[in-house]
């Protein structure tokens, strides 16, 4: 693995051969999540494809000239030519593999895959998801001497690690940077001795067999499973969103707001996340236009008052985005006035989308009893409808989704399981 600068780009990337280039940033949890996958794949594919990385903040002009607008972004080159696929955001290991495989012959791919040996490991408890809920369950189980593994598709910390400030977690007088709070939670659980398998691809989950396959070849079995997979941001699902994701459209202010210094930004949404994140983005951007479908914000009063007092921010009420297009340097958001039905264009340098969340249950959707909104139903011990399967945190059916409530759920599940295993 080689770290290069813009000055070495010609020689290391363009001069020939097959190359994958990772543009990363600091204080960027998705970059940290991709780093171990990138390194692991470098060990597998390194004889055929050169793996290099570049610090985006210090090589901004080159990054921009290559169309890189968020971190991390992986670009692929073959004999000096940039390939059309760009991977960005929460990059999956399988997405990288798919692209790397397409750059090699079928025979060579088979040889590389043959070198991987399947493994099986066994634990008392397997926790899926290392956010506050999963980390707390891991801590309590570890302290109860229960052999526990924590599996996450990203780095530990969950949503807290991408929240710029947390002011309502008890025990801290001053607001805490989200990444620090999640880092401390994770270190506490790790230092106790819980096994971590993070930044992996979860290939398959078999709740009946209590078995999870990660990174295609590693099977992890347990007597009990705790699902703590949290929620993910909803997408708008309108034309241009998929194409511009990571190239002008972002879902993470902590990751990307710093790239909009003195620039104009559109923020979509009007709930707590949208309002709080707009406030954070205004530390960098010169102007923020919020687009909200209702005629009043739904965020709490305190957050609203702060936003209304911010001279950089204006709000388009009763408007909904219809499409995103790029015109030169500008992102054009077409918005419809829901009252007059007229469509107008908003030009900006970037768009942030905060329109609510959905539960992360894709790999076991049909196996468990869910509520009308797709959240997992549990009893007071956090047990789901399937024996031996527990669920905690934002992924379960409940009224209030906060760090404190996730932590409480994790505590309850862990104590209940520890007692049962005894
Ligand atoms: C912008 C924003 C600001 C917020 N601010 C606050 C605040 O100030 N105070 C507060 O109390 N709460 C806040 N919250 C809410 C708080 O972050 C959540 O309630 C809390 O993180 C929930 O914890 P969790 O462990 O249930 O899930 P998460 O924190 O979402 O963690 C879930 C974990 O599961 C992993 N995962 C997902 N799918 C899989 C899979 N298939 N296999 C394995 N792992 C998987 C994810 O990578 C993630 O690490 C905020 C949320 C947002 C979005």
């Amino acid at each position: 693995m080689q770290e290069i600068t813009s000055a070495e780009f010609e020689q290391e990337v363009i001069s020939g051969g097959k190359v994958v280039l990772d543009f990363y940033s600091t204080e960027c949890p998705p970059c940290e999540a991709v780093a171990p996958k990138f390194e692991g794949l470098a060990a597998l594919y390194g004889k055929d494809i050169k793996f290099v990385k570049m610090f985006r903040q210090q090589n901004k002009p080159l990054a921009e000239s290559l169309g890189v607008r968020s971190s991390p972004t992986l670009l692929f080159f073959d004999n000096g030519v940039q390939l059309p696929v760009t991977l960005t955001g929460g990059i999956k290991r399988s997405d990288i593999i798919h692209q790397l495989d397409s750059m090699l012959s079928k025979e060579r791919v088979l040889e590389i895959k043959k070198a991987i040996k399947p493994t099986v490991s066994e634990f008392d408890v397997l926790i899926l998801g290392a956010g506050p809920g999963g980390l707390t369950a891991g801590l309590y189980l570890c302290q109860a001497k229960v052999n526990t593994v924590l599996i996450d598709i990203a780095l530990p910390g969950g949503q807290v690690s991408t929240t710029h400030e947390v002011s309502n977690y008890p025990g801290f007088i001053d607001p805490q940077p989200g990444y620090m709070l999640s880092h401390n939670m994770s270190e506490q659980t790790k230092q106790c001795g819980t096994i971590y398998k993070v930044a992996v691809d979860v290939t398959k989950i078999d709740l009946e067999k209590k078995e999870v396959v990660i990174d295609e070849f590693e099977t992890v079995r347990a007597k009990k499973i705790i699902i703590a997979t949290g929620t993910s941001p909803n997408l708008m699902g309108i034309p241009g969103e998929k194409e511009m994701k990571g190239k002008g459209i972002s879902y993470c202010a902590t990751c990307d707001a710093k790239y909009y210094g003195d620039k104009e930004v559109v923020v979509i949404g009007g709930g707590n996340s949208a309002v709080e994140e707009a406030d954070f983005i205004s530390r960098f951007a010169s102007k923020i236009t919020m687009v909200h479908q209702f005629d009043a914000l739904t965020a709490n009063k305190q957050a609203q008052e702060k936003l209304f007092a911010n001279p950089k921010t204006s709000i388009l009420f009763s408007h909904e985005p219809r499409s995103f297009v790029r015109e030169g340097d500008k992102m054009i958001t077409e918005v419809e006035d829901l009252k007059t039905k007229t469509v107008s264009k908003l030009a900006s340098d970037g768009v942030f989308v905060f329109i609510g969340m959905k539960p992360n249950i894709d790999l076991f959707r049909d196996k468990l009893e869910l509520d009308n909104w797709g959240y997992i139903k549990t009893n007071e011990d956090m047990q789901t409808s399937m024996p031996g399967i527990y669920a905690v945190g934002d992924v379960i059916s409940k009224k209030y989704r906060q760090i404190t409530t996730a932590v409480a759920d994790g505590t309850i599940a862990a104590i209940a399981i520890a007692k049962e295993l005894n």
Side-chain angles (χ1 to χ4, degrees):
M1 171 75 59
Q2 198 184 343
E3 169 110 25
I4 62 165
T5 62
S6 307
E8 294 158 309
F9 178 69
E10 276 297 318
Q11 188 197 323
E12 299 298 336
V13 177
I14 295 298
S15 67
K18 299 175 196 302
V19 185
V20 50
L21 170 59
D22 173 14
F23 275 99
Y24 72 96
S25 298
T26 47
E27 290 177 42
C28 164
C31 303
E32 290 165 23
V34 89
K37 300 175 196 177
F38 199 66
E39 273 183 34
L41 291 171
L44 266 182
Y45 287 81
K47 279 190 189 148
D48 304 80
I49 298 172
K50 190 197 277 184
F51 283 65
V52 290
K53 58 182 183 177
M54 197 183 283
F55 185 35
R56 183 174 154 221
Q57 278 128 307
Q58 271 176 5
N59 298 279
K60 232 171 151 186
L62 175 69
E64 280 177 7
S65 73
L66 293 168
V68 176
R69 287 193 169 78
S70 74
S71 307
T73 295
L74 299 193
L75 303 179
F76 300 84
F77 298 83
D78 201 342
N79 269 327
V81 178
Q82 186 178 342
L83 302 178
V85 171
T86 299
L87 300 180
T88 188
I91 302 169
K92 296 243 172 231
R93 185 176 178 273
S94 52
D95 291 337
I96 311 174
I97 289 179
H98 181 74
Q99 178 56 24
L100 297 175
D101 286 354
S102 75
M103 295 164 73
L104 301 173
S105 70
K106 277 189 183 143
E107 295 71 30
R108 184 63 193 128
V109 169
L110 279 176
E111 273 173 32
I112 291 173
K113 298 269 155 85
K114 264 191 205 156
I116 308 171
K117 292 191 176 69
T119 61
V120 179
S121 52
E122 303 210 357
F123 294 85
D124 289 330
V125 181
L126 184 163
I127 304 172
L128 264 182
L135 288 170
T136 307
L139 178 67
Y140 273 77
L141 286 165
C142 174
Q143 290 186 346
K145 306 273 182 241
V146 176
N147 186 20
T148 303
V149 61
L150 254 171
I151 295 177
D152 200 304
I153 51 175
L155 283 184
Q159 280 174 38
V160 184
S161 49
T162 59
T163 304
H164 67 277
E165 249 178 22
V166 177
S167 58
N168 51 13
Y169 192 72
F172 299 94
I173 297 164
D174 296 320
Q176 294 296 299
Y179 72 90
M180 251 353 270
L181 184 59
S182 60
H183 173 76
N184 290 343
M185 279 186 188
S186 172
E187 286 305 299
Q188 192 182 5
T189 302
K190 199 193 275 175
Q191 277 183 22
C192 177
T194 302
I195 304 297
Y196 278 39
K197 292 182 187 288
V198 296
V200 296
D201 270 314
V202 173
T203 315
K204 194 177 149 204
I205 299 173
D206 189 329
L207 292 183
E208 276 107 353
K209 286 189 184 164
K210 300 196 179 51
E211 196 173 276
V212 174
V213 180
I214 57 175
D215 293 340
E216 285 183 72
F217 299 98
E218 189 177 349
T219 302
V220 186
R221 288 190 193 129
K223 295 174 189 154
K224 313 262 181 206
I225 291 183
I226 300 176
I227 298 166
T229 47
T231 55
S232 294
N234 279 326
L235 304 187
M236 299 288 313
I238 59 174
E241 183 182 27
K242 220 167 138 198
E243 296 77 3
M244 243 80 81
K245 190 179 165 202
K247 298 177 190 167
I249 299 181
S250 172
Y251 304 82
C252 174
T254 317
C255 312
D256 295 325
K258 53 185 170 273
Y259 299 111
Y260 291 94
D262 288 328
K263 300 213 163 154
E264 297 187 7
V265 163
V266 166
V267 171
I268 294 164
N272 270 334
S273 292
V275 169
E276 284 166 13
E277 299 302 287
D279 177 56
F280 176 68
I281 296 165
S282 76
R283 293 186 195 178
F284 307 89
S286 58
K287 184 181 165 199
I288 295 174
T289 307
M290 289 190 76
V291 178
H292 183 45
Q293 62 185 153
F294 302 123
D295 55 11
L297 297 173
T298 52
N300 69 47
K301 282 275 173 294
Q302 198 187 353
Q304 286 195 35
E305 278 163 17
K306 203 169 171 197
L307 186 86
F308 290 136
N310 188 335
K312 289 184 177 178
T313 311
S314 63
I315 310 169
L316 271 182
F317 286 111
S318 305
H319 277 70
E320 246 178 25
R322 291 286 170 251
S323 70
F324 301 108
V325 280
R326 181 162 283 288
E327 283 181 10
D329 276 357
K330 295 287 176 192
M331 281 288 304
I332 305 296
T333 308
E334 275 199 329
V335 289
E336 181 179 335
D337 184 328
L338 299 177
K339 288 185 175 155
T340 63
K341 303 288 171 211
T342 49
V343 175
S344 53
K345 289 181 176 185
L346 283 178
S348 70
D349 297 295
V351 178
F352 286 82
V353 180
F354 305 108
I355 54 156
M357 315 297 284
K358 60 176 171 43
N360 294 322
I361 55 160
D362 285 350
L363 288 174
F364 42 80
R365 182 181 296 280
D366 305 327
K367 302 287 175 189
L368 301 172
E369 208 179 314
L370 307 175
D371 70 12
N372 291 342
W373 295 271
Y375 290 85
I376 302 171
K377 284 189 178 177
T378 55
N379 69 10
E380 61 179 355
D381 278 349
M382 301 297 139
Q383 260 181 345
T384 68
S385 53
M386 189 181 282
I389 308 295
Y390 293 68
V392 302
D394 281 9
V395 76
I396 71 165
S397 176
K398 61 176 170 181
K399 233 172 170 180
Y400 304 112
R401 294 190 172 81
Q402 287 287 286
I403 305 167
T404 46
T405 59
V407 160
D409 295 346
T411 308
I412 294 167
I415 294 176
I417 290 175
K419 276 194 176 163
E420 248 189 68
L421 289 176
N422 269 339

